Amino acid sequence: DQQVKQNSPSLSVQEGRISILNCDYTNSMFDYFLWYKKYPAEGPTFLISISSIKDKNEDGRFTVFLNKSAKHLSLHIVPSQPGDSAVYFCAASTPGAGSYQLTFGKGTKLSVIP
Amino acid sequence: NAGVTQTPKFQVLKTGQSMTLQCAQDMNHNSMYWYRQDPGMGLRLIYYSASEGTTDKGEVPNGYNVSRLNKREFSLRLESAAPSQTSVYFCASSEAPVWGYTFGSGTRLTVV
């Protein structure tokens, strides 16, 4: 059963507007949530993370919001730029002995239209 | 540039052949991981190594073996490749969850 869900396979947004990517999770033991960006033929790159004890984290144009009661997080990109066009993966961290494992959603393909 | 290096970038195998995917990181990270990415499936964990000398199964370990050769290197071996193992394989390393994983650029494997 999927523990991290991204229900929108794709999203199109006009340049300059806000992009909102959504993610839902089922496991209340997740301690960190992360967003990754992936361009074709490249590995995913880390974008931003948020601890489960916080409800917001901001880094430049990127803000992640966490609603623990709803088990929902979202990534806001403001303003959206054509270079933001990529697949975005939501991931959640499960702590383990000496390491941690990330569980990924299936991704949302964002297209920013000039 | 510092990061995670994977070799090869592309490979075509025949069913039943074996091969090893190599991964090395130069960030002095303790933990390393192997994931596979399939269309519509996201990334799924195959094996991971919390530290040098230890390895553990992830979500989809069947058909694979791993070796943590030293702190820098973590290899993934397919002993008898099957078409179901056609995928893009990513190696990653990490130190703490707040900074996420650093991924390599991937190995695109096709088994015919």
Side-chain angles (χ1 to χ4, degrees):
Chain A
D1 192 27
Q2 261 198 290
Q3 296 188 67
V4 178
K5 298 180 185 179
Q6 294 177 259
N7 292 320
S8 299
S10 62
L11 175 68
S12 289
V13 171
Q14 288 289 131
E15 181 179 2
R17 307 295 290 266
I18 184 171
S19 295
I20 300 176
L21 296 97
N22 293 303
C23 180
D24 297 298
Y25 64 95
T26 58
N27 187 347
S28 57
M29 299 302 293
F30 288 142
D31 60 348
Y32 275 91
F33 300 90
L34 304 94
W35 285 93
Y36 279 82
K37 176 179 177 179
K38 186 182 180 305
Y39 293 119
E42 293 184 11
T45 55
F46 171 69
L47 203 52
I48 191 169
S49 67
I50 187 168
S51 165
S52 60
I53 62 173
K54 301 206 170 170
D55 54 18
K56 177 181 174 181
N57 189 26
E58 201 168 347
D59 184 1
R61 296 186 298 115
F62 302 92
T63 303
V64 57
F65 295 93
L66 176 62
N67 182 333
K68 284 190 71 176
S69 60
K71 292 192 173 67
H72 177 84
L73 66 155
S74 59
L75 174 69
H76 293 211
I77 306 174
V78 185
S80 300
Q81 299 173 353
D84 296 330
S85 297
V87 177
Y88 288 78
F89 289 100
C90 171
S93 163
T94 308
S99 74
Y100 67 100
Q101 298 175 37
L102 290 182
T103 302
F104 286 83
K106 294 184 178 182
T108 297
K109 183 176 182 179
L110 174 65
S111 300
V112 179
I113 304 161
Chain B
N1 285 342
V4 178
T5 303
Q6 291 184 237
T7 56
K9 293 192 181 302
F10 301 95
Q11 185 72 47
V12 178
L13 288 179
K14 293 183 178 178
T15 297
Q17 285 186 318
S18 62
M19 79 162 294
T20 300
L21 282 65
Q22 307 287 353
C23 175
Q25 54 95 5
D26 58 7
M27 295 169 288
N28 204 37
H29 287 167
N30 282 313
S31 301
M32 297 186 73
Y33 310 81
W34 277 103
Y35 280 82
R36 59 178 287 174
Q37 185 194 10
D38 301 295
M41 298 293 291
L43 292 102
R44 293 181 292 170
L45 181 64
I46 305 171
Y47 270 93
Y48 66 100
S49 170
S51 60
E52 186 178 351
T54 69
T55 61
D56 284 288
K57 296 178 180 179
E59 180 186 355
V60 288
N62 290 346
Y64 305 95
N65 285 302
V66 290
S67 295
R68 182 75 184 266
L69 305 170
N70 47 56
K71 191 171 185 178
R72 289 187 66 245
E73 297 173 287
F74 188 37
S75 62
L76 178 71
R77 182 159 178 84
L78 287 71
E79 290 290 352
S80 179
S84 61
Q85 294 177 304
T86 294
S87 187
V88 181
Y89 291 85
F90 290 102
C91 177
S93 69
S94 74
E95 197 58 42
V98 66
W99 298 301
Y101 291 174
T102 301
F103 281 89
S105 58
T107 296
R108 184 173 294 274
L109 175 68
T110 303
V111 183
V112 298

